[in-house]
Amino acid sequence: MHATLALIIFCLTYALIISEKVHRTVVALLGGMILVAAGVLAQENAIEHIDWNTLGLLVGMMIVVGITRRTGVFQYLGLLAVRFAKGEPIRILIALASVTALLSALLDNVTTVLLIVPITFTICDKLNLNPMPFLVSQIFASNIGGTSTLIGDPPNIMIGSQTHLGFVDFAVNLVPVVLVIFVATMGVFYLLYKRKLNVNEDLKKSLIELNPIDQIKDYGLLKKCLVILFLILFGFISHQSLHMESATVALTGAALLMFITKEEPEEVLLSVEWPTIFFFIGLFILVGGLVETGWINSLAQWAFNVTEGDFKLTAMLILWLSAIASAFVDNIPFTATMIPLIHQMGNLGGISQEGLEPLWWALSLGACLGGNGTLIGASANVIVAGLAEKNGIPIKFIPFMKLALPLMLLSIVISSIYLLVFYL
């Protein structure tokens, strides 16, 4: 009974989110609370399924970015990008997407979009451009770039912590295919928007002639923000050896920045996207209902039964199942379910840890890249959608999916070829 109810509530909630007739935060939170009220999940279990590490990371970085925005550095970087691209919109789009992908690999994709999206709005405002293509390209770039390293995306962090695989292993094995996927994806954006993005020549010329350095409003505050951002970056890269979760790094940085800048907490906390935070809380509880009632475990177990122990087929099924599931269900609990099942398969088949590596790469590529499939498939997507809505430019679920799903499937096709050629 509880299993059926959990699935029905999840499907109804998802249908309402897609319809966009009610705000997604209200829908997700209501769906989660109905699960608890109906007894499908006890309140304690519901709280356990909320990924506080993700939420802490989001809140911490939103605070840091909110304070940093006051220095004018985003306007400075925006004008710098315009100059670098000589005012050509399609070049700016690809340049910003490239920076997004690189930073997503070095920081993480959520932190990166929090830094890049304000710059994007500044550029588009100054050039009278529709920011939508830029935002969508950055969603893709953040998830693609985040796939390439241990710290870029939560599924990779989870895989790394449960295996012998480290930062270098992820980079060596995943960077080559990620580069191909990124180039292919940017090629599609180039073809789609090359002729659609036009700027008035006089406006372009006037912007190129502006001195970016004039945009900096507070050098003292900027120095403090840059020091904290550097410390946070160091913390993200070395958090495993420091035995600190990414949320601890981000929240410590945020608290330290508020302390040294003496900012009023009431004003600073207004920069936190609270609707996005509560959307995640509702979504985590909804997926927790599927986990507790056995739906996700049954799906993963079915996948292994279908392959009948064929290693190559198992790898392909993990890749595609992870991609499709992660487009519609948060990839964190799905990854958490798949990890012990992959370990168990290795035990049953007498496969060493090294022998299981292709399956870990399949899970990583599927879970991380699959998040590009829909607007709620990954944390970065939801963050960008929240920021866009706050700026009066809502990203609609269905129009996004019409572009995103085919591009996501293209990335999984490329991943399949890569795994088959080099690992299977």
Side-chain angles (χ1 to χ4, degrees):
M1 177 62 185
H2 279 171
T4 305
L5 189 59
L7 186 62
I8 290 171
I9 292 171
F10 179 85
C11 292
L12 286 174
T13 304
Y14 210 91
L16 278 172
I17 290 171
I18 293 172
S19 73
E20 296 179 327
K21 291 181 179 177
V22 185
H23 196 284
R24 64 178 176 271
T25 300
V26 176
V27 175
L29 204 53
L30 181 61
M33 290 304 97
I34 290 173
L35 277 182
V36 177
V40 176
L41 278 176
Q43 182 175 300
E44 293 78 12
N45 285 348
I47 291 171
E48 286 172 4
H49 283 285
I50 297 171
D51 188 343
W52 296 105
N53 186 54
T54 296
L55 297 184
L57 170 65
L58 291 175
V59 172
M61 292 314 300
M62 284 175 179
I63 290 170
V64 172
V65 171
I67 296 174
T68 306
R69 188 182 288 118
R70 300 177 189 181
T71 66
V73 70
F74 295 133
Q75 288 85 344
Y76 164 78
L77 292 171
L79 282 179
L80 210 62
V82 171
R83 272 192 170 186
F84 177 76
K86 297 179 180 177
E88 290 297 329
I90 193 64
R91 289 186 187 176
I92 296 171
L93 184 148
I94 292 172
L96 288 175
S98 300
V99 172
T100 302
L102 180 62
L103 289 180
S104 293
L106 296 175
L107 294 169
D108 67 90
N109 50 13
V110 170
T111 302
T112 298
V113 295
L114 284 168
L115 292 169
I116 297 294
V117 168
I119 300 171
T120 303
F121 280 118
T122 299
I123 293 172
C124 292
D125 183 56
K126 291 184 179 299
L127 290 175
N128 288 331
L129 285 168
N130 177 10
M132 193 67 72
F134 296 82
L135 298 176
V136 174
S137 69
Q138 284 158 31
I139 287 174
F140 270 86
S142 67
N143 290 319
I144 293 170
T147 307
S148 61
T149 66
L150 174 67
I151 61 172
D153 216 1
N156 286 1
I157 296 172
M158 294 165 69
I159 293 168
S161 66
Q162 297 292 323
T163 66
H164 65 289
L165 302 167
F167 191 94
V168 174
D169 296 305
F170 275 86
V172 168
N173 288 280
L174 296 180
V175 165
V177 66
V178 163
L179 285 173
V180 174
I181 290 168
F182 180 74
V183 170
T185 304
M186 287 304 106
V188 173
F189 275 98
Y190 182 84
L191 294 173
L192 281 175
Y193 294 110
K194 182 184 178 183
R195 301 187 185 279
K196 292 181 182 178
L197 296 172
N198 297 301
V199 176
N200 179 282
E201 287 299 323
D202 292 334
L203 182 60
K204 188 192 298 184
K205 187 178 178 182
S206 65
L207 277 175
I208 292 172
E209 289 173 354
L210 287 175
N211 187 357
I213 205 71
D214 293 337
Q215 302 299 314
I216 303 296
K217 301 167 188 171
D218 190 331
Y219 280 95
L221 180 59
L222 177 60
K223 288 175 184 176
K224 293 172 183 176
C225 291
L226 290 176
V227 169
I228 295 299
L229 281 168
F230 175 79
L231 290 174
I232 289 172
L233 172 59
F234 174 77
F236 283 155
I237 292 173
S238 55
H239 74 98
Q240 279 186 310
S241 57
L242 295 172
H243 304 292
M244 292 172 66
E245 293 293 343
S246 52
T248 304
V249 174
L251 287 169
T252 302
L256 191 58
L257 185 58
M258 284 193 288
F259 179 77
I260 64 175
T261 58
K262 297 180 174 63
E263 295 280 342
E264 286 295 327
E266 291 85 356
E267 289 184 28
V268 171
L269 291 174
L270 288 174
S271 61
V272 176
E273 295 287 330
W274 292 112
T276 301
I277 299 299
F278 279 96
F279 171 76
F280 274 119
I281 289 173
L283 197 62
F284 284 136
I285 294 172
L286 282 166
V287 176
L290 297 182
V291 173
E292 288 291 326
T293 53
W295 283 106
I296 289 182
N297 188 63
S298 296
L299 180 65
Q301 196 64 56
W302 167 84
F304 284 115
N305 292 337
V306 165
T307 61
E308 296 180 346
D310 185 298
F311 192 80
K312 186 183 294 187
L313 192 58
T314 299
M316 287 296 101
L317 191 58
I318 288 172
L319 173 67
W320 283 89
L321 182 63
S322 300
I324 294 166
S326 296
F328 296 96
V329 180
D330 188 80
N331 56 17
I332 293 171
F334 186 84
T335 304
T337 305
M338 292 296 288
I339 287 172
L341 284 169
I342 291 176
H343 276 305
Q344 182 63 16
M345 195 200 77
N347 293 335
L348 292 172
I351 305 170
S352 65
Q353 280 297 315
E354 288 75 17
L356 284 176
E357 277 194 23
L359 302 188
W360 299 127
W361 306 139
L363 178 60
S364 172
L365 289 166
C368 296
L369 296 173
N372 276 329
T374 69
L375 196 56
I376 63 170
S379 303
N381 308 23
V382 180
I383 295 299
V384 175
L387 292 170
E389 190 171 34
K390 192 175 182 180
N391 283 270
I393 306 164
I395 302 175
K396 299 294 184 182
F397 192 98
I398 296 297
F400 177 86
M401 193 168 74
K402 284 180 179 176
L403 171 63
L405 202 55
L407 275 174
M408 183 273 281
L409 293 174
L410 172 65
S411 69
I412 300 303
V413 168
I414 294 171
S415 299
S416 300
I417 295 169
Y418 176 74
L419 288 173
L420 287 169
V421 170
F422 293 100
Y423 295 94
L424 303 171

